[in-house]
Amino acid sequence: MADDSKALSQEPAIPWNGYEISHSKSPVFYDLYERKSELKQQTHYCPGCGHGVAHKLIAEAIADLGLQDRTIFVSPVGCSVFAYYYFDVGNVQVAHGRAPASATAIKRTCPDKIVISYQGDGDLAAIGTAEIVHAANRGEKITVFFVNNAIYGMTGGQMAPTTLVGQKSTTSPWGRRPANEGFPLHMSELLATLEAPVYIERVALSDNKNIMKARRAVRRALENQRDGLGFSFVEILSPCPTIWGKDPVDARRWVLEKLVPVFPLNVFRDHKPELPPNNLPPQRLVSDVLGISAKDEAAVPSLPQHPHHFRDYAIKIAGFGGQGVLLLGQLLTEMGMREGLEVSWLPSYGPEMRSGSAHCHVCLSKERIGAPLISHPDVLIAMNEISLRKFAHQVSPGGLILYNRDQLPADFAVPQARVICIPAADMADKLGSTKVTNIVLMGALLEETECLAPATAMRVLEAKIKKMDLLELDRHALDAGRNFIDNQVRVGAVSQPDGFAY
Ligand SMILES: Cc1ncc(C[n+]2csc(CCOP(=O)(O)OP(=O)(O)O)c2C)c(N)n1
Ligand code: SF4
């Protein structure tokens, strides 16, 4: 008996004692859900929740259309935040409301993928209103499933933009009053005013007949993307028994009796938009945009291969806006790229154009880089005292700090890293412009760590800087930084002939 029930759950469509099995799990779901050791067979959704039904319809459609290997599912913030534990497809979990923006990026970079944005009503119609309107207006070739349960489920029942007039929520305990909270937002109707969307339908998980209609709409929206048609949007009216305070049967009935009259079921859009001729922007190769086209490269004699004595190398550069903090990071990143490394550059700066704090993370690696964020850099280039105090403790043990002064602050405890004080700004000033402070520090970095070749630095600077006098200044600055390391390194407040403090 136990064996038979196992066959029931795992082997679909095999005749069993004269019956055909028709209720197996879709192959697009993982066999086991690894989220919690005690709940490997079931989802985290409440009994009767519409998300489970919506997941099932989507998974079955993906399987039937043969799209599993091409699908990327973008999960929202909300009760369905853990969708990636269930769908055995590519998964990305994104910030609240931002799924259409992330889906846009994914679809544009991987046009052959089937990209699904799955969102609740708080996610899509409140915090993410701008994202969905603009993705729809651009006609992004993605599929959006909008699960409208008229409430914020995950956070315990606050009012959503789709909450009905008179419906009680924790933030409208008296019932939604339009004079105070406005009327329910009709997202399907709103998006249907735009020209670009190809398909917009509202369906309901209220009863078997409507669930079958929802099944057809889900398929249609995925077929549209498979066929490259354009933006497809399915609004799914969905029960949330827990927050509505109803049992699953009553909650389904409530969808039909209360939600559907306010949000009528309809196909609001089903056409292909007329696009003007020559509608596509001109396509250019990335190498052309960066000015490193194959033609240019071929014209330049190739450099000898630089030995990289690391697998990953993480550099953090910090200072204030106007010191060339971000530019130095970009130059190092491009150098790494030219030397055949994987690279990433992650800037961070405040709202001020100049003088605000700024820093950037540069990763150089022989392997693909998982995340551009650096928690423990191998090297910190601190271009001012604030940055030194803020980031020095993050440097890996045995790492290096290059500090843009001739000595450390008197009360500064030298951390676990080696510190080299280099008065780069003064040196740059003497060369003719403090603007090249960052290049002095670059010279010091290259000479001290040998992470990248100085010849590559010059190659990159020559490609970037068209003014000959500025290029000459940069050449001197690079040499000055390198010479400083070779000849007159000061460690902390103390001059050291070899330049190192341990
Ligand atoms: C930036 C941000 N703001 C607010 C929250 C809190 N939050 C988590 S889920 C949620 C609402 C989700 O509601 P909905 O999109 O309707 O999904 P449901 O849970 O009903 O499926 C909110 C406000 C958050 N996680 N992040
Ligand atoms: S709170 Fe509502 S939306 Fe969230 S899992 Fe439970 S029933 Fe579903």
Side-chain angles (χ1 to χ4, degrees):
M1 198 57 200
D3 283 355
D4 287 346
S5 61
K6 195 169 167 223
L8 249 182
S9 68
Q10 292 192 344
E11 291 175 20
I14 293 173
W16 176 76
N17 285 356
Y19 293 94
E20 182 152 312
I21 297 161
S22 61
H23 61 287
S24 58
K25 192 159 76 171
S26 163
V28 167
F29 288 130
Y30 289 113
D31 286 341
L32 292 178
Y33 305 142
E34 300 290 349
R35 194 177 81 87
K36 280 195 177 162
S37 52
E38 70 277 19
L39 282 180
K40 290 192 177 202
Q41 302 287 352
Q42 63 192 78
T43 67
H44 68 289
Y45 297 118
C46 309
C49 173
H51 280 302
V53 181
H55 281 20
K56 182 170 184 284
L57 300 181
I58 294 168
E60 286 176 353
I62 292 172
D64 292 350
L65 298 174
L67 300 175
Q68 184 170 11
D69 291 343
R70 290 170 58 198
T71 298
I72 299 178
F73 194 101
V74 185
S75 313
V77 170
C79 280
S80 46
V81 67
F82 294 130
Y84 53 83
Y85 278 106
Y86 311 135
F87 285 92
D88 185 3
V89 295
N91 283 287
V92 180
Q93 201 283 316
V94 296
H96 212 358
R98 310 298 176 248
S102 303
T104 297
I106 296 166
K107 185 68 184 181
R108 287 190 177 206
T109 44
C110 311
D112 57 322
K113 301 294 180 218
I114 302 293
V115 183
I116 295 173
S117 174
Y118 184 100
Q119 303 180 256
D121 46 347
D123 190 77
L124 180 141
I127 194 167
T129 331
E131 279 75 6
I132 192 63
V133 169
H134 289 289
N137 193 42
R138 292 190 305 266
E140 298 297 342
K141 294 189 167 100
I142 59 174
T143 302
V144 179
F145 295 119
F146 168 42
V147 178
N148 177 0
N149 56 20
I151 204 84
Y152 285 12
M154 185 193 213
T155 39
Q158 294 86 351
M159 195 194 80
T162 48
T163 297
L164 303 185
V165 171
Q167 185 183 340
K168 289 186 175 162
S169 73
T170 57
T171 47
S172 57
W174 48 82
R176 180 175 191 161
R177 290 185 290 196
N180 205 40
E181 292 94 31
F183 289 94
L185 207 51
H186 292 75
M187 288 309 297
S188 290
E189 287 85 340
L190 196 148
L191 297 181
T193 63
L194 306 173
E195 285 178 43
V198 162
Y199 178 61
I200 300 176
E201 179 165 1
R202 182 183 291 124
V203 295
L205 304 178
S206 52
D207 52 84
N208 290 351
K209 198 169 143 213
N210 274 329
I211 290 174
M212 283 304 108
K213 285 189 181 164
R215 181 173 182 268
R216 281 196 289 280
V218 165
R219 269 156 211 260
R220 181 69 194 287
L222 289 170
E223 282 166 358
N224 285 348
Q225 189 173 169
R226 179 198 61 192
D227 300 341
L229 293 187
F231 184 86
S232 295
F233 183 90
V234 180
E235 176 170 349
I236 304 173
L237 302 181
S238 174
C240 172
T242 302
I243 301 293
W244 295 352
K246 302 188 184 308
D247 69 37
V249 176
D250 281 347
R252 271 192 176 202
R253 196 175 300 126
W254 202 80
V255 173
L256 195 61
E257 291 174 359
K258 299 291 181 188
L259 284 187
V260 171
V262 177
F263 297 107
L265 307 187
N266 198 4
V267 178
F268 295 91
R269 173 67 57 84
D270 190 3
H271 80 157
K272 197 158 167 17
E274 291 286 318
L275 296 175
N278 301 325
N279 184 50
L280 285 175
Q283 304 286 310
R284 289 175 67 198
L285 291 174
V286 173
S287 52
D288 287 346
V289 176
L290 295 176
I292 51 168
S293 66
K295 194 161 58 70
D296 293 350
E297 287 292 283
V300 182
S302 63
L303 291 165
Q305 192 77 31
H306 181 71
H308 300 115
H309 304 293
F310 55 81
R311 201 189 66 168
D312 304 297
Y313 209 62
I315 303 167
K316 187 162 190 162
I317 306 159
F320 57 79
Q323 282 187 307
V325 170
L326 305 185
L327 176 64
L328 176 52
Q330 285 174 330
L331 293 171
L332 292 171
T333 310
E334 182 150 350
M335 287 167 62
M337 208 157 45
R338 287 184 181 229
E339 292 190 7
L341 295 168
E342 298 284 334
V343 296
S344 67
W345 173 74
L346 182 71
S348 169
Y349 47 88
E352 308 93 329
M353 288 294 281
R354 298 188 77 78
S355 306
S357 63
H359 68 261
C360 67
H361 303 220
V362 175
C363 297
L364 308 170
S365 178
K366 288 180 178 161
E367 290 172 12
R368 290 182 75 178
I369 294 168
L373 192 74
I374 298 172
S375 308
H376 298 292
D378 297 297
V379 178
L380 169 68
I381 300 181
M383 297 189 69
N384 61 11
E385 186 179 330
I386 296 173
S387 306
L388 177 78
R389 292 189 186 276
K390 193 165 169 192
F391 297 122
H393 68 280
Q394 293 181 354
V395 178
S396 302
L400 172 69
I401 297 172
L402 287 175
Y403 179 45
N404 175 26
R405 288 280 185 287
D406 60 355
Q407 56 185 352
L408 289 170
D411 63 340
F412 185 76
V414 177
Q416 67 294 348
R418 294 184 288 135
V419 183
I420 296 179
C421 294
I422 166 169
D426 295 344
M427 291 163 65
D429 204 21
K430 281 192 192 120
L431 288 171
S433 171
T434 43
K435 276 189 192 162
V436 294
T437 304
N438 55 354
I439 305 297
V440 174
L441 285 161
M442 181 203 263
L445 171 78
L446 302 186
E447 193 66 13
E448 176 58 27
T449 66
E450 297 179 355
C451 61
L452 297 163
T456 316
M458 277 320 300
R459 183 71 63 82
V460 169
L461 288 169
E462 281 159 12
K464 297 266 169 225
I465 295 166
K466 300 299 169 206
K467 284 189 181 166
M468 287 315 289
D469 50 345
L470 195 54
L471 181 62
E472 209 41 38
L473 189 57
D474 275 332
R475 188 190 308 279
H476 289 308
L478 193 72
D479 287 346
R482 297 180 64 197
N483 290 339
F484 183 90
I485 294 295
D486 288 342
N487 302 321
Q488 45 178 321
V489 162
R490 291 167 70 87
V491 179
V494 188
S495 287
Q496 298 272 329
D498 65 359
F500 299 141
Y502 291 98

mmCIF file of all heavy atoms in Angstrom, residues 44-51 78-80 149 151-154 238-244, ligand 2:
data_model
loop_
_atom_site.group_PDB
_atom_site.id
_atom_site.type_symbol
_atom_site.label_atom_id
_atom_site.label_comp_id
_atom_site.label_asym_id
_atom_site.label_seq_id
_atom_site.Cartn_x
_atom_site.Cartn_y
_atom_site.Cartn_z
ATOM 1 N N HIS A 44 4.860 26.968 1.836
ATOM 2 C CA HIS A 44 4.627 27.713 3.081
ATOM 3 C C HIS A 44 3.277 28.424 3.057
ATOM 4 O O HIS A 44 2.934 29.131 3.992
ATOM 5 C CB HIS A 44 5.742 28.747 3.285
ATOM 6 C CG HIS A 44 5.724 29.863 2.275
ATOM 7 N ND1 HIS A 44 6.075 29.665 0.952
ATOM 8 C CD2 HIS A 44 5.361 31.175 2.364
ATOM 9 C CE1 HIS A 44 5.948 30.807 0.301
ATOM 10 N NE2 HIS A 44 5.518 31.737 1.127
ATOM 11 N N TYR A 45 2.528 28.301 1.968
ATOM 12 C CA TYR A 45 1.275 29.048 1.872
ATOM 13 C C TYR A 45 0.214 28.495 2.818
ATOM 14 O O TYR A 45 0.183 27.298 3.117
ATOM 15 C CB TYR A 45 0.761 29.025 0.433
ATOM 16 C CG TYR A 45 1.704 29.702 -0.540
ATOM 17 C CD1 TYR A 45 2.284 28.997 -1.582
ATOM 18 C CD2 TYR A 45 2.011 31.052 -0.396
ATOM 19 C CE1 TYR A 45 3.161 29.617 -2.457
ATOM 20 C CE2 TYR A 45 2.886 31.675 -1.267
ATOM 21 C CZ TYR A 45 3.460 30.954 -2.292
ATOM 22 O OH TYR A 45 4.335 31.569 -3.154
ATOM 23 N N CYS A 46 -0.685 29.373 3.246
ATOM 24 C CA CYS A 46 -1.775 28.957 4.130
ATOM 25 C C CYS A 46 -2.730 28.043 3.343
ATOM 26 O O CYS A 46 -2.845 28.176 2.114
ATOM 27 C CB CYS A 46 -2.585 30.163 4.598
ATOM 28 S SG CYS A 46 -1.610 31.499 5.279
ATOM 29 N N PRO A 47 -3.470 27.176 4.032
ATOM 30 C CA PRO A 47 -4.469 26.364 3.332
ATOM 31 C C PRO A 47 -5.475 27.272 2.614
ATOM 32 O O PRO A 47 -5.925 28.267 3.180
ATOM 33 C CB PRO A 47 -5.150 25.580 4.462
ATOM 34 C CG PRO A 47 -4.171 25.598 5.588
ATOM 35 C CD PRO A 47 -3.397 26.884 5.473
ATOM 36 N N GLY A 48 -5.754 26.949 1.361
ATOM 37 C CA GLY A 48 -6.735 27.722 0.603
ATOM 38 C C GLY A 48 -6.189 28.970 -0.051
ATOM 39 O O GLY A 48 -6.922 29.700 -0.710
ATOM 40 N N CYS A 49 -4.890 29.224 0.101
ATOM 41 C CA CYS A 49 -4.292 30.436 -0.482
ATOM 42 C C CYS A 49 -4.251 30.315 -2.006
ATOM 43 O O CYS A 49 -3.900 29.277 -2.558
ATOM 44 C CB CYS A 49 -2.874 30.615 0.050
ATOM 45 S SG CYS A 49 -2.015 31.971 -0.771
ATOM 46 N N GLY A 50 -4.555 31.419 -2.687
ATOM 47 C CA GLY A 50 -4.552 31.406 -4.153
ATOM 48 C C GLY A 50 -3.162 31.284 -4.757
ATOM 49 O O GLY A 50 -3.022 30.852 -5.902
ATOM 50 N N HIS A 51 -2.131 31.671 -4.011
ATOM 51 C CA HIS A 51 -0.777 31.585 -4.584
ATOM 52 C C HIS A 51 -0.458 30.150 -5.011
ATOM 53 O O HIS A 51 0.163 29.930 -6.052
ATOM 54 C CB HIS A 51 0.273 32.042 -3.567
ATOM 55 C CG HIS A 51 0.406 33.535 -3.451
ATOM 56 N ND1 HIS A 51 0.724 34.340 -4.523
ATOM 57 C CD2 HIS A 51 0.283 34.361 -2.372
ATOM 58 C CE1 HIS A 51 0.797 35.602 -4.123
ATOM 59 N NE2 HIS A 51 0.521 35.648 -2.826
ATOM 60 N N GLY A 78 6.630 39.690 -0.590
ATOM 61 C CA GLY A 78 5.227 39.397 -0.306
ATOM 62 C C GLY A 78 5.156 37.923 0.055
ATOM 63 O O GLY A 78 6.185 37.265 0.203
ATOM 64 N N CYS A 79 3.952 37.394 0.171
ATOM 65 C CA CYS A 79 3.844 35.989 0.581
ATOM 66 C C CYS A 79 4.543 35.052 -0.393
ATOM 67 O O CYS A 79 5.010 33.986 -0.007
ATOM 68 C CB CYS A 79 2.375 35.602 0.717
ATOM 69 S SG CYS A 79 1.694 36.160 2.288
ATOM 70 N N SER A 80 4.645 35.449 -1.658
ATOM 71 C CA SER A 80 5.273 34.567 -2.651
ATOM 72 C C SER A 80 6.774 34.785 -2.761
ATOM 73 O O SER A 80 7.397 34.362 -3.741
ATOM 74 C CB SER A 80 4.601 34.767 -4.002
ATOM 75 O OG SER A 80 4.458 36.142 -4.252
ATOM 76 N N ASN A 149 -5.108 39.943 -4.160
ATOM 77 C CA ASN A 149 -5.963 39.427 -3.088
ATOM 78 C C ASN A 149 -6.499 40.572 -2.215
ATOM 79 O O ASN A 149 -6.930 40.361 -1.086
ATOM 80 C CB ASN A 149 -5.244 38.365 -2.247
ATOM 81 C CG ASN A 149 -3.940 38.878 -1.679
ATOM 82 O OD1 ASN A 149 -3.722 40.085 -1.591
ATOM 83 N ND2 ASN A 149 -3.060 37.960 -1.275
ATOM 84 N N ILE A 151 -5.277 42.833 -0.436
ATOM 85 C CA ILE A 151 -4.741 43.068 0.918
ATOM 86 C C ILE A 151 -3.232 42.805 0.904
ATOM 87 O O ILE A 151 -2.738 42.145 0.006
ATOM 88 C CB ILE A 151 -5.437 42.116 1.936
ATOM 89 C CG1 ILE A 151 -5.388 42.668 3.358
ATOM 90 C CG2 ILE A 151 -4.868 40.706 1.907
ATOM 91 C CD1 ILE A 151 -6.472 43.649 3.663
ATOM 92 N N TYR A 152 -2.504 43.364 1.897
ATOM 93 C CA TYR A 152 -1.107 42.951 2.098
ATOM 94 C C TYR A 152 -1.158 41.670 2.938
ATOM 95 O O TYR A 152 -1.473 41.727 4.131
ATOM 96 C CB TYR A 152 -0.333 43.986 2.901
ATOM 97 C CG TYR A 152 0.064 45.253 2.178
ATOM 98 C CD1 TYR A 152 -0.455 45.596 0.935
ATOM 99 C CD2 TYR A 152 0.985 46.111 2.773
ATOM 100 C CE1 TYR A 152 -0.073 46.767 0.298
ATOM 101 C CE2 TYR A 152 1.367 47.287 2.143
ATOM 102 C CZ TYR A 152 0.832 47.611 0.910
ATOM 103 O OH TYR A 152 1.206 48.773 0.302
ATOM 104 N N GLY A 153 -0.858 40.537 2.340
ATOM 105 C CA GLY A 153 -0.922 39.276 3.074
ATOM 106 C C GLY A 153 0.245 39.102 4.029
ATOM 107 O O GLY A 153 0.080 38.930 5.241
ATOM 108 N N MET A 154 1.447 39.208 3.489
ATOM 109 C CA MET A 154 2.628 38.825 4.263
ATOM 110 C C MET A 154 2.803 39.624 5.548
ATOM 111 O O MET A 154 3.231 39.104 6.575
ATOM 112 C CB MET A 154 3.878 38.981 3.402
ATOM 113 C CG MET A 154 5.121 38.482 4.087
ATOM 114 S SD MET A 154 6.574 39.023 3.226
ATOM 115 C CE MET A 154 7.638 37.641 3.529
ATOM 116 N N SER A 238 -7.527 36.475 -6.212
ATOM 117 C CA SER A 238 -7.020 35.307 -5.503
ATOM 118 C C SER A 238 -7.433 35.326 -4.027
ATOM 119 O O SER A 238 -7.354 36.380 -3.379
ATOM 120 C CB SER A 238 -5.493 35.346 -5.633
ATOM 121 O OG SER A 238 -4.898 34.358 -4.874
ATOM 122 N N PRO A 239 -7.848 34.191 -3.469
ATOM 123 C CA PRO A 239 -8.253 34.201 -2.064
ATOM 124 C C PRO A 239 -7.069 34.271 -1.091
ATOM 125 O O PRO A 239 -6.024 33.682 -1.329
ATOM 126 C CB PRO A 239 -8.996 32.866 -1.897
ATOM 127 C CG PRO A 239 -8.510 31.998 -3.006
ATOM 128 C CD PRO A 239 -8.055 32.891 -4.120
ATOM 129 N N CYS A 240 -7.282 35.005 -0.008
ATOM 130 C CA CYS A 240 -6.320 35.055 1.100
ATOM 131 C C CYS A 240 -7.111 34.753 2.377
ATOM 132 O O CYS A 240 -7.473 35.664 3.131
ATOM 133 C CB CYS A 240 -5.673 36.443 1.176
ATOM 134 S SG CYS A 240 -4.656 36.698 2.639
ATOM 135 N N PRO A 241 -7.436 33.446 2.595
ATOM 136 C CA PRO A 241 -8.339 33.122 3.706
ATOM 137 C C PRO A 241 -7.826 33.615 5.053
ATOM 138 O O PRO A 241 -8.628 34.092 5.881
ATOM 139 C CB PRO A 241 -8.389 31.593 3.691
ATOM 140 C CG PRO A 241 -7.748 31.147 2.433
ATOM 141 C CD PRO A 241 -6.988 32.283 1.840
ATOM 142 N N THR A 242 -6.524 33.556 5.265
ATOM 143 C CA THR A 242 -5.990 33.885 6.592
ATOM 144 C C THR A 242 -6.263 35.329 6.969
ATOM 145 O O THR A 242 -6.800 35.618 8.039
ATOM 146 C CB THR A 242 -4.473 33.606 6.617
ATOM 147 O OG1 THR A 242 -4.291 32.248 6.280
ATOM 148 C CG2 THR A 242 -3.871 33.899 7.974
ATOM 149 N N ILE A 243 -5.907 36.247 6.078
ATOM 150 C CA ILE A 243 -6.057 37.659 6.432
ATOM 151 C C ILE A 243 -7.521 38.082 6.324
ATOM 152 O O ILE A 243 -7.985 38.941 7.073
ATOM 153 C CB ILE A 243 -5.169 38.539 5.517
ATOM 154 C CG1 ILE A 243 -3.697 38.127 5.671
ATOM 155 C CG2 ILE A 243 -5.344 40.019 5.828
ATOM 156 C CD1 ILE A 243 -3.079 38.394 7.010
ATOM 157 N N TRP A 244 -8.250 37.463 5.425
ATOM 158 C CA TRP A 244 -9.670 37.808 5.327
ATOM 159 C C TRP A 244 -10.469 37.220 6.499
ATOM 160 O O TRP A 244 -11.645 37.547 6.682
ATOM 161 C CB TRP A 244 -10.267 37.263 4.025
ATOM 162 C CG TRP A 244 -9.716 37.873 2.759
ATOM 163 C CD1 TRP A 244 -8.869 38.938 2.642
ATOM 164 C CD2 TRP A 244 -9.980 37.440 1.423
ATOM 165 N NE1 TRP A 244 -8.580 39.191 1.331
ATOM 166 C CE2 TRP A 244 -9.260 38.287 0.551
ATOM 167 C CE3 TRP A 244 -10.749 36.416 0.863
ATOM 168 C CZ2 TRP A 244 -9.286 38.140 -0.834
ATOM 169 C CZ3 TRP A 244 -10.771 36.281 -0.513
ATOM 170 C CH2 TRP A 244 -10.054 37.137 -1.359
HETATM 171 S S1 SF4 B 2 -1.476 35.310 4.253
HETATM 172 FE FE1 SF4 B 2 -2.899 35.185 2.541
HETATM 173 S S2 SF4 B 2 -1.650 35.468 0.690
HETATM 174 FE FE2 SF4 B 2 -0.284 34.976 2.386
HETATM 175 S S3 SF4 B 2 0.021 32.780 2.304
HETATM 176 FE FE3 SF4 B 2 -1.650 33.162 3.749
HETATM 177 S S4 SF4 B 2 -3.496 33.058 2.528
HETATM 178 FE FE4 SF4 B 2 -1.792 33.288 1.108
#
